[in-house]
Amino acid sequence: MKILIVNNTVIPALKYGGTERVIWYLGKELVKMGHQVDYLVKKGSSSSFATKVMAIEESKPIEDQIPEGYDVVHFNFNVDAEKVEATHIVTIHGNTNEFLPYNKNAVFVSKNHAERHQSQSFVYNGLDFSDYGKVDFSKDRKWFHFLGNVVWKEKNAKGAIDIAKRAKQKIVMLGGERFSTKMGIKFFPQLNARFAGQVDESGKNKYINQSKGLIFPVKWDEPFGLSMIESLYYGSPVFGTKHGSLPEIITPEVGFLSNDSQELVDAIKNNTYNPKVCHHYAVDNFNSKLMAERYVEKYKLVLSGEDLNADFPVLKEKQESRFLEYN
């Protein structure tokens, strides 16, 4: 197949960038499978495996920038099907809190994500873990960690620090910037917390390979959560809330979930998870090869003339408060 992957960001993701990381590894795996992959992305992008990388023209509608000749166009943001002549699918990576209909060929990134939009169409994200370096299971695990945008309150970095403090553990804060023009400045005055900022794969190896676990008390419906599978790869179990995709991604063998912070504190104090079990679980279930194979199944369905959804996916229920249950 000749496939065009479209997203309105720059690839590759050198540090932060979940969607960018996913579409990079998807394209890489599709090429390994014998497909031709091109990208239509923001100016400044590059790829060593794609046949062609084209730059989006910001002033033109995206539907007018799709060249002819592709079997499937894979958008990574919602588009109006009536305006796109090419056979296509749309991956929805984030959340909305509006009753806005998505494309009939929408694909969500977890079962929960799909069900919240009255759909059964989803493909789990996957990573090429060979880029993350080898895991040294002999290393002494010295701290816990948080991985996410520290200034985004839905990710609950403050809650993660509080849990670590109550469990009398050190925590390394990974991800995001301490200052955001939209979200303000984030301070971590607690002595148990260290801010390491944005990190690439080698930085994650350095910090997470010495971590006892990911503390992830999110207060929103996490669509998927790449930070969870990255942490599991390094042998770090996940201690988080029960929101969004967490209950389907995190099994009792690789983590503990509760919306009660004291229960998370107690679980961390009694942490007996096996790092090797966590590692193999991530590698076996959330690798980029599996992701690419599942997307190829979606491509074949739309090429046969089928819609991925019987109706336009739309949010089932609006969230009335900004934050979900956490105490």
Side-chain angles (χ1 to χ4, degrees):
M1 276 186 276
K2 189 176 180 182
I3 302 160
L4 178 65
I5 299 176
V6 185
N7 195 42
N8 52 1
T9 54
V10 175
I11 58 168
L14 300 178
K15 290 187 178 180
Y16 185 79
T19 300
E20 296 84 355
R21 211 171 290 276
V22 167
I23 65 171
W24 176 269
Y25 288 135
L26 172 60
K28 188 176 178 182
E29 289 293 345
L30 290 170
V31 170
K32 287 181 185 178
M33 295 166 68
H35 303 288
Q36 179 183 322
V37 172
D38 293 346
Y39 285 100
L40 178 59
V41 282
K42 270 195 174 181
K43 183 180 179 181
S45 298
S46 63
S47 169
S48 59
F49 54 81
T51 305
K52 188 187 300 181
V53 178
M54 297 170 283
I56 288 176
E57 295 182 45
E58 302 289 344
S59 60
K60 292 175 61 177
I62 194 66
E63 57 266 18
D64 294 340
Q65 300 183 55
I66 308 300
E68 295 182 354
Y70 290 98
D71 295 302
V72 176
V73 179
H74 185 162
F75 292 96
N76 286 272
F77 48 81
N78 197 38
V79 294
D80 186 342
E82 293 185 358
K83 295 181 179 180
V84 180
E85 295 183 5
T87 301
H88 65 279
I89 74 166
V90 173
T91 295
I92 306 300
H93 292 273
N95 285 330
T96 179
N97 200 33
E98 299 293 334
F99 294 122
L100 300 175
Y102 284 119
N103 192 295
K104 271 193 175 182
N105 287 331
V107 180
F108 296 88
V109 293
S110 67
K111 182 179 180 182
N112 172 272
H113 192 211
E115 288 177 343
R116 286 189 287 108
H117 296 87
Q118 304 181 77
S119 170
Q120 295 181 336
S121 173
F122 71 94
V123 171
Y124 286 135
N125 290 330
L127 298 173
D128 181 353
F129 290 111
S130 64
D131 279 356
Y132 285 74
K134 292 185 178 180
V135 182
D136 185 352
F137 293 105
S138 67
K139 276 190 177 181
D140 182 29
R141 295 185 178 258
K142 303 175 181 178
W143 48 64
F144 284 81
H145 73 281
F146 170 90
L147 180 57
N149 193 331
V150 295
V151 298
W152 194 6
K153 292 183 179 180
E154 284 82 355
K155 293 287 186 176
N156 199 13
K158 182 179 178 181
I161 294 172
D162 175 66
I163 287 169
K165 182 179 180 181
R166 287 157 57 189
K168 299 182 179 179
Q169 298 288 333
K170 294 180 180 179
I171 185 169
V172 177
M173 310 299 291
L174 306 173
E177 302 287 348
R178 297 182 81 166
F179 174 75
S180 166
T181 55
K182 292 183 179 180
M183 303 178 191
I185 301 173
K186 182 68 68 174
F187 293 101
F188 302 118
Q190 291 86 350
L191 295 177
N192 70 310
R194 173 187 175 188
F195 178 76
Q198 292 191 29
V199 288
D200 57 14
E201 283 80 354
S202 63
K204 290 171 186 172
N205 193 314
K206 173 184 175 182
Y207 288 109
I208 306 178
N209 201 172
Q210 298 181 70
S211 174
K212 301 175 185 178
L214 169 68
I215 303 180
F216 202 57
V218 295
K219 297 192 290 185
W220 79 319
D221 280 318
E222 189 73 40
F224 179 81
L226 283 180
S227 59
M228 294 191 294
I229 63 173
E230 289 178 323
S231 299
L232 290 168
Y233 170 77
Y234 290 115
S236 294
V238 176
F239 300 87
T241 48
K242 295 181 177 181
H243 300 311
S245 65
L246 272 72
E248 65 186 277
I249 303 297
I250 304 304
T251 68
E253 291 74 29
V254 298
F256 178 84
L257 304 178
S258 174
N259 296 336
D260 186 315
S261 61
Q262 186 56 50
E263 290 185 357
L264 291 170
V265 169
D266 293 340
I268 284 169
K269 287 181 177 179
N270 298 306
N271 181 8
T272 58
Y273 292 97
N274 187 324
K276 289 185 178 180
V277 170
C278 295
H279 169 80
H280 290 298
Y281 172 75
V283 171
D284 291 345
N285 293 284
F286 302 105
N287 62 75
S288 53
K289 182 180 178 181
L290 270 177
M291 172 179 65
E293 290 173 346
R294 289 164 180 164
Y295 270 119
V296 168
E297 293 175 4
K298 301 292 186 185
Y299 299 159
K300 289 179 178 178
L301 284 173
V302 295
L303 282 168
S304 71
E306 291 188 42
D307 290 328
L308 300 184
N309 296 276
D311 205 346
F312 297 100
V314 66
L315 189 67
K316 184 186 299 184
E317 183 179 355
K318 270 194 177 185
Q319 186 175 312
E320 296 301 325
S321 60
R322 178 178 176 182
F323 302 119
L324 298 179
E325 178 189 358
Y326 175 76
N327 52 66

